[in-house]
Amino acid sequence: MTASPVGRDIDRVDGRLKVTGTAPYSGDYPAPNTAHAHVITSTIGRGTITRIDTAAALASPGVLRVYAAPDPRLKLYPVANEYRAFTENYLPLKDSTVHFHGQVIAMVVAETFEQARDAAALVTATYDAQKPRTSLKDEPRVPSGRTVSGSPSDSKMLAPGVDSIDAALAASDVVVKATYEQPIQNHVAMEPHAVLAVWHGGHLTVHAGAQIPYAYAILLAQRLDILPQDVTLITKYVGGGFGARVVLWSDAPLAAAAARDMDRPVKLILTREQMFTLTGHRSHLTQTIRLGASRDGVLNAISHDSVAEMPTTINFPMTPAHSTSDTLYRTPNLSVDAKMVMLDLPGSRAMRAPNEAPGLFALETAMDELAVATGVDPVELRLRNYATVKPTTGLPWSSKHLDDCYRIGAERFGWSKRSAKPRARVDGQWLIGAGMASAVYPATRHPASVRIRLLDDDTAVVSTAISDLGTGGWTMVAIAGADALGIPLKRVTPEIGDSKLPQGAPAVASSATHSTVPLVIGAARNAIAELKRLAVTSPDSPWHGANAEDLRYEDGSLHGDGRSMSFGRLLAAVGSRGLNGTASAPGGAPAEYSYHSFGAHFCEVRVNRFTCEIRVTRFTTVADIGRVINARAARSQLVGGVVFGIGHALLEHNHLELDTGRLASSNMADYMVPVNADIPDIDVHLLDRPDPQLTGPLGDDGGEVGTRSLGARGLGEIGTSGSAAAVGNAVFNATGIRVRDLPITLDKLL
């Protein structure tokens, strides 16, 4: 019997290509006669372009075109209303309006990248400038609108007889109130945003990084006013996304439109600095948390209000209480309210755990402050307020083992040795502190399709148009296929990253694995049903004329009537090169449950008594993510998420110049992210308990193929959710200083 690869430490099937540098990323693809583009960006934050001087650039060696706003040659168009959230609401180079500092105002196309770059430096612009709106404090506030799950961004839940959340707080024995702030943060994916656009007649092939390939192709088609079937997106290898590659930004439409205008391929690779303003960021955000509790720490009321930026061109509606304060703890009184402020800034977008990372920093820091105020241990405080159903709906969880995450994490970390008194542990120059926080992230299934093709050489191809951002998507598809078919992993070929494949699940919201694995199982079952049909209907089959129900499939072979034959041998015997099985699902899951992943973070820091330098020295995370598909990739994802959280807590800040709207730290020298020297060994433990409500293909009775109850949930963002709060709480335990505005830098501790 073939051992299933599910849950084991599996090497990435694409690993050798990546470590040898032979995996082709978007900027690596060649095309005959390729021209190279370079964009020029605005130096004001709001206003109108009065003149762009392109003469010197046009006279430069190798220059083929200079497109300058407004330029009618590019022929770009608005998108349909249902897709407006996934692209900017203005057309690049269409008119002379400047919406933000760093907007594309011109583009040079030349024979080489160097010629385009050098000529671009010669383009100059003059403006009629206005003062940009840049401050959350100075502009009117509007409601954020609906959350990503469709619920209102402002809602209240009050116990019988309670008139308001203020009354509930006033009736509480202990009240904690604080405001928390985070600055603009950027995704900083390793791979630059790159586009190669190639036209063949009226058909466009684009090589670009995309987190939702099918939507990207549709949006690009609408921008160019062509049919979606006339666009092929190739996105096989992507060097990180974190939300920055969800949206169709200006780069792909500009490259594709220029390639059409010039009738030759065009490649456009954004510089690092351009990526900071042209591909989104996490919004500047302030949050006010009020917690009311009894003297022994039992919550009576939670109030969570927020204010975030709303750039004029595109924004992500921040609702940081969603799936955090409205989900995590039992309370009879709850109020959440999210507001946004229209500003003249580069577009903001979802960034890894978009609501949950900032929301949990505020909530879990406030819970630590409540622990201090009541004298209750932070772990015990969370157990006393443990929610056995979702507080706002009363729905049971599909599966929840957060209490075990607390207990196991505390034991692995050595939480019992922590002193509740700040500054109690000292080692020479270093103050030592420990903090913890909860993690929660919604588990969402998206629409998707999978095709499995069984071949006459006893191998199988599993095809679905997901993209792999470095998260292990290639390997996940192969593992699921090997498990479902009962064959060795080496006999399964994953096929992803092409918009012409069956529609894949988006690589967003920790949902690709959660959405894809059940459909792989379903496609395998349908392929085997077709194999049985072929076996009993083909004259050249040894089972011709038999009853398909009497045949049994196991480990890559059919059995029945005293015979056995592998699927490859059967296909060869009947003269077939291969056969297909497909499965599709509309997304969603049974509505009688609430679906989330959970976790607990424990962090130790050392803070220098004299310089206030902060060092994270130990970190433990325990995660409840349902069934683990690839243990190695799962640990890697959680470690990466925690590193993200450490950067969130201690380093990341793109400084905004309020007078100009310029993001002043838009380069890798000034925008700080963690490096190896900043990160200790991170202890990750996976509970690996299948979610019983998330079994195989929905509505299937199990049958004979694969592991029916895989029960996998998402994990890509659970490591980022709450980890910044664990760091901040540890800093407080070490120093006695509570820092509520991120990042926690040494100047705030001096």
Side-chain angles (χ1 to χ4, degrees), residues 72-94:
R73 293 174 292 176
L74 293 174
K75 296 182 174 61
L76 295 174
Y77 302 88
V79 301
N81 286 340
E82 62 264 35
Y83 291 105
R84 289 182 63 186
F86 294 98
T87 191
E88 295 157 295
N89 60 22
Y90 73 101
L91 296 173
L93 304 189
K94 185 72 171 180

Side-chain angles (χ1 to χ4, degrees), residues 690-708:
D691 189 319
Q693 309 307 326
L694 298 175
T695 59
L698 299 180
D700 200 289
D701 62 357
E704 60 193 330
V705 182
T707 306
R708 179 175 188 269

